[in-house]
């Protein structure tokens, strides 16, 4: 058993949750649920990023005080995650009092150490990104992500001397001590470091909506410095615990007290915010004498029918829209399965509908219904395992059992490296296999003839449905638990079992009473 700490970005409260945010959050949730299932001590963190110029500006256009506006949108995120059955262990809002205090403590530590110094800073600032931009990041003078011309800024500011950590970080990234995946994203970051890492402005004089610097109250903290520390404060870190007093030499990496889960084992995000996560964030950790994150996984962007989701195009889909049409578990499945995790992917209602009908209505739902109906018709034979332990099916074939082990090892290999869509594919393969098995074993004929072998056939089918449902457990928790109940199993008992025990052949009790129940995924017509 090991520890597993996973984070999502904390989302800006300038807008309500859409399926882009939902994508990251559901993926993190599935990973957290998988790690809990295999017995790891797991912490799953998410939250909202509420300070800075971007939020202040948005609140103003809404005619609201930033604090009140942030309260409203943060509540919408929390409700959306509740509705999506997200199992986060904490929800950090950067306006939280304890977080603000910890940020002040941490920045004071970096200032006392000489890593933050007063300077004059000039640059092009994109408020949408809340980041300074290099000329070469711009296309026709505009930020490609926001289609806006960045502001020229020149002001007195406190600067984080992160360049001093550049060599060390580059080595850590190259050697995968700080792992960035997919590989193409790592390569991008390595070249970015090789161009030379610049220091970064860490405070704003004219942005009032932020955390005041403890040593100079006329400045507020740069919103990213505030935001990154959420990954620590959500664990209860107070910015001082475990950190030794000056002169800071020779300490190396030390754990802060009370935050054994740190550092993150996986930080999930999309490419828009990788660069800051691969530079400023680990440099802050080195400055704080803390260990850096272990692994960052960068998934692709969701495009809607080929276009970037945006308010101006009017193609923004909210998680609630999908839940209304497909239900919670199907929405989770539809978000995770259609595109390669790590690459941009195109989605849209037409594709979602097709996938819903193919994989869930005609696939999983139909298989469960069809199998249980057959068992209900078996009045004279009980479902039973072949009792000679030969691991062959009713016709002496071994393949049936062997293939389950192979699928599990494929599933585990994929999910461990976040090839989420491929892990799900393993479950789909089971469904197709079982459909074909039923078609060729023709249990309805065996039933008619009162042939005893049907007991073994149907045991094999139901037991393999149990395995399929287990593979889907992190993705569709309610559906899996409903399938367990229909198979006569108690989900609460199943939860207490060791993973190795769960995935052994034979978890289903022979002679079990099954229940048909309503259609799991009624087919969408139209
Ligand atoms: N507040 C910062 C993050 C601070 S973390 C210390 C931020 N917030 S955000 O609201 O803009 O969220 C960006 C993240 O949302 C992306 O990195 C990605 O995880 C998710 N996505 C937003 N739109 C998305 C798509 N269209 N597709 C996939 N993921 C998307 O940046």
């Amino acid at each position: 058993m090991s520890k597993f700490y996973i984070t999502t970005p904390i989302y800006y409260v300038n807008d309500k949750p859409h399926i882009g945010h939902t994508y990251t959050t559901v993926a993190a949730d599935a990973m957290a649920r998988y790690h809990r299932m295999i017995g790891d001590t797991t912490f799953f963190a998410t939250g909202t990023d509420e300070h800075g110029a971007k939020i202040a500006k948005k609140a103003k256009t809404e005619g609201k005080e930033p604090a009140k506006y942030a309260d409203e949108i943060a509540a919408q995120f929390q409700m959306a995650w509740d509705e999506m059955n997200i199992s986060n262990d904490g929800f950090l809002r950067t306006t939280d009092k304890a977080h603000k205090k910890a940020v002040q403590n941490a920045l004071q530590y970096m200032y006392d150490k000489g890593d933050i110094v007063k300077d004059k800073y000039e640059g092009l600032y994109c408020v949408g990104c809340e980041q300074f931009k290099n000329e070469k990041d711009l296309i026709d003078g505009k930020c490609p992500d926001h289609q806006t011309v960045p502001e020229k800024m020149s002001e007195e500011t406190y600067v984080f001397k992160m360049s001093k950590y550049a060599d060390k970080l580059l080595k850590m990234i190259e050697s995968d001590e700080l792992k960035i995946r997919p590989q193409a994203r790592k390569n991008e970051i390595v070249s970015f470091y090789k161009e030379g890492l610049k220091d970064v402005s860490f405070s704003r004089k004219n942005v009032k909506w932020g955390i005041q610097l403890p040593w100079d109250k006329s400045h507020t903290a740069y919103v990213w410095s505030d935001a990154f520390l959420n990954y620590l404060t959500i664990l209860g870190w107070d910015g001082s615990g475990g950190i030794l007093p000056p002169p800071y030499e020779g300490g190396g990496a030390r754990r802060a007290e009370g935050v054994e889960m740190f550092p993150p084992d996986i930080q999930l995000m999309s490419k828009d915010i990788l660069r800051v996560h691969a530079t400023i964030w680990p440099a802050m950790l080195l400055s704080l004498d803390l260990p850096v994150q272990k692994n960052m996984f960068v998934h692709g962007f969701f495009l809607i029918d080929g276009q970037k989701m945006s308010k101006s195009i009017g193609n923004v889909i909210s998680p609630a829209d999908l839940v209304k049409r497909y239900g919670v578990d199907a929405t989770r499945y539809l978000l995770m399965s259609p595109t390669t995790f790590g690459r941009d992917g195109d989605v849209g209602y037409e594709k979602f509908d097709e996938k819903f009908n193919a994989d869930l209505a005609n696939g999983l739902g139909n298989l469960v219904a069809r199998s249980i109906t057959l068992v209900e018709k078996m009045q004279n034979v009980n479902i039973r395992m072949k009792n000679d332990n030969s691991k062959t099916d009713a016709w002496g074939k071994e393949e049936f059992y062997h293939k389950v082990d192979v699928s599990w090892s494929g599933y585990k290999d994929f999910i461990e490296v976040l090839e989420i869509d491929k892990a799900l594919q393993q479950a789909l393969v089971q469904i197709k296999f079982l459909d074909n098995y039923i078609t060729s074993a023709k249990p309805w004929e065996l039933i008619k003839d009162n042939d005893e072998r049907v007991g073994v056939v149907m045991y094999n089918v139901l037991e393999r449905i149990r395995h399929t449902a287990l593979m889907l457990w992190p993705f569709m928790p309610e559906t899996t638990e409903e399938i367990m109940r229909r198979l006569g199993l108690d989900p609460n008992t199943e939860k207490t079992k060791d993973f190795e025990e769960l995935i052994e052949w034979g978890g289903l009790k022979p002679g079990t009473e099954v229940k048909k129940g309503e259609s799991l995924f009624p087919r969408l017509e139209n």
Side-chain angles (χ1 to χ4, degrees):
M1 191 166 95
S2 32
K3 72 121 187 141
F4 182 72
Y5 175 28
I6 185 162
T7 69
T8 72
I10 50 170
Y11 304 110
Y12 285 129
V13 291
N14 67 321
D15 212 350
K16 41 185 203 286
H18 57 61
I19 61 168
H21 310 120
T22 314
Y23 186 60
T24 316
T25 310
V26 169
D29 185 60
M31 291 302 295
R33 286 175 183 271
Y34 168 75
H35 279 269
R36 289 189 201 107
M37 174 164 91
I38 63 170
D40 288 344
T41 305
T42 300
F43 196 95
F44 166 21
T46 190
T48 39
D49 190 355
E50 306 186 8
H51 290 128
K54 173 174 170 138
I55 309 302
K57 213 164 138 186
K58 182 64 196 277
K60 203 167 169 199
T61 62
E62 297 278 313
K64 290 180 180 152
E65 281 303 311
K68 181 163 182 299
Y69 173 70
D71 280 348
E72 287 172 13
I73 305 283
Q76 291 190 27
F77 272 94
Q78 281 166 312
M79 277 181 324
W81 301 160
D82 278 351
E83 182 169 26
M84 291 305 301
N85 203 1
I86 301 298
S87 65
N88 51 305
D89 297 291
F91 187 96
L92 192 283
R93 299 184 54 192
T94 54
T95 47
D96 171 77
K97 214 166 139 199
H99 169 82
K100 289 195 280 190
K101 184 74 199 131
V103 169
Q104 289 181 322
N105 288 342
L107 294 178
Q108 182 74 55
Y109 181 90
M110 293 166 68
Y111 180 70
D112 291 346
K113 192 174 178 177
D115 280 358
I116 295 179
V117 297
K118 199 168 194 174
D119 206 344
K120 195 156 161 56
Y121 200 90
E122 281 182 11
L124 295 168
Y125 196 78
C126 170
V127 177
C129 299
E130 291 280 18
Q131 283 177 50
F132 281 97
K133 296 279 162 181
N134 298 329
E135 290 282 357
K136 67 182 268 221
D137 296 330
L138 308 177
I139 296 176
D140 297 330
K142 288 182 184 165
C143 163
D145 286 344
H146 294 96
Q147 295 302 320
T148 48
V149 179
E151 296 166 20
K152 272 209 180 71
M153 266 181 25
S154 164
E155 60 180 30
E156 180 195 89
T157 174
Y158 288 91
V159 167
F160 172 34
K161 312 286 282 175
M162 70 170 174
S163 58
K164 92 181 224 202
Y165 297 108
D167 290 346
K168 182 162 182 185
L169 285 172
L170 175 59
K171 280 197 197 101
M172 289 174 122
I173 291 167
E174 281 182 319
S175 69
D176 279 351
E177 189 179 340
L178 194 180
K179 198 163 164 183
I180 301 172
R181 288 294 182 275
Q183 183 70 31
R185 298 285 165 215
K186 168 180 168 177
N187 299 345
E188 261 172 47
I189 293 298
V190 167
S191 346
F192 183 69
Y193 266 93
K194 288 188 171 160
E195 284 167 20
L197 194 63
K198 289 205 209 102
D199 294 334
V200 55
S201 163
F202 240 38
S203 74
R204 299 294 300 274
K205 222 173 168 165
N206 52 10
V207 177
K208 297 290 166 235
W209 178 237
I211 301 175
Q212 287 179 336
L213 298 184
W215 66 89
D216 183 346
K217 301 240 168 7
S218 66
H219 285 249
T220 55
Y222 175 42
V223 58
W224 279 97
S225 72
D226 161 1
F228 281 134
L229 291 168
N230 95 84
Y231 300 135
L232 277 156
T233 57
I234 195 164
L235 299 172
W237 186 71
D238 70 0
S240 62
I243 294 175
L244 297 176
Y248 313 115
E249 254 113 45
R254 279 169 279 118
R255 282 272 167 81
E257 247 168 64
V259 287
E260 315 75 39
M261 294 307 284
F262 202 80
D265 295 278
I266 291 177
Q267 302 210 275
L268 269 188
M269 69 199 72
S270 197
K271 56 192 170 186
D272 51 339
I273 56 175
L274 171 64
R275 199 189 276 179
V276 280
H277 270 86
T279 53
I280 304 175
W281 167 227
M284 284 176 77
L285 288 169
L286 291 182
S287 175
L288 290 165
D289 295 305
L290 292 171
V292 304
Q293 71 268 37
K294 290 189 193 155
N295 191 344
M296 286 194 281
F297 194 93
V298 185
H299 62 67
F301 258 126
F302 251 14
L303 306 173
I304 306 292
D305 300 318
Q307 285 181 304
K308 201 180 163 201
M309 217 178 359
S310 94
K311 259 198 180 163
S312 46
I313 303 174
N315 61 354
V316 178
I317 300 181
S318 81
D321 297 336
L322 293 187
V323 168
K324 223 180 284 158
R325 186 162 177 85
Y326 306 107
V328 173
D329 272 9
T331 296
R332 293 170 58 103
Y333 176 82
L334 293 173
L335 290 176
M336 289 299 102
S337 58
T339 66
T340 307
F341 201 70
R343 298 235 195 103
D344 287 354
D346 203 14
V347 294
Y349 281 110
E350 210 175 304
K351 282 186 194 140
F352 284 144
D353 280 5
E354 260 171 42
K355 227 171 155 37
F356 179 94
N357 278 341
D359 298 356
L360 300 178
N362 301 344
L364 181 65
N366 182 52
L367 172 69
V368 172
R370 173 187 193 200
S371 312
I372 293 183
T373 307
L374 281 166
V375 172
E376 281 176 342
K377 286 196 181 133
M378 292 169 28
Q379 286 168 8
N380 302 319
V381 247
N382 246 332
I383 64 157
R384 60 184 179 87
M385 263 177 114
K386 195 165 164 42
N387 55 11
D388 61 2
N389 265 340
S390 61
K391 288 216 158 187
T392 56
D393 72 6
W395 288 270
K397 285 198 215 124
E398 253 183 58
E399 182 192 57
F400 206 91
Y401 307 91
H402 177 60
K403 280 229 175 99
V404 175
D405 294 344
V406 172
S407 302
W408 271 115
S409 79
Y411 174 88
K412 286 190 265 185
D413 288 349
F414 287 131
I415 209 164
E416 297 277 342
V417 296
L418 287 107
E419 298 208 34
I420 286 183
D421 50 300
K422 295 211 180 69
L424 277 171
Q425 201 58 37
Q426 296 293 314
L428 277 196
V429 167
Q430 306 294 318
I431 296 169
K432 297 229 166 71
F433 175 90
L434 283 172
D435 272 334
N436 292 336
Y437 178 76
I438 294 175
T439 306
S440 69
K442 301 193 177 59
W444 50 90
E445 289 184 0
L446 301 175
I447 293 172
K448 223 169 35 202
D449 300 343
N450 263 333
D451 187 328
E452 282 277 300
R453 286 180 302 183
V454 73
V456 180
V457 169
M458 290 319 295
Y459 181 88
N460 287 346
V461 170
L462 296 192
E463 170 63 0
R464 195 138 173 174
I465 288 179
R466 186 185 72 87
H467 283 265
T468 309
L470 284 174
M471 289 181 187
L472 294 171
W473 209 355
F475 301 94
M476 300 200 279
E478 294 294 332
T479 302
T480 293
E481 289 168 28
E482 178 56 21
I483 293 175
M484 286 174 174
R485 281 188 285 272
R486 291 183 188 192
L487 295 180
L489 297 163
D490 174 5
N492 289 327
T493 313
E494 298 308 290
K495 276 181 199 157
T496 62
K497 289 186 182 159
D498 273 356
F499 183 58
E500 290 312 319
E501 184 188 350
L502 269 180
I503 67 170
E504 236 168 65
W505 186 265
L508 195 71
K509 283 181 228 60
T512 263
E513 291 264 335
V514 295
K515 290 184 282 286
K516 181 147 178 260
E518 284 173 12
S519 170
L520 288 172
F521 302 103
R523 215 187 129 76
L524 291 167
E525 305 299 342
N526 221 342

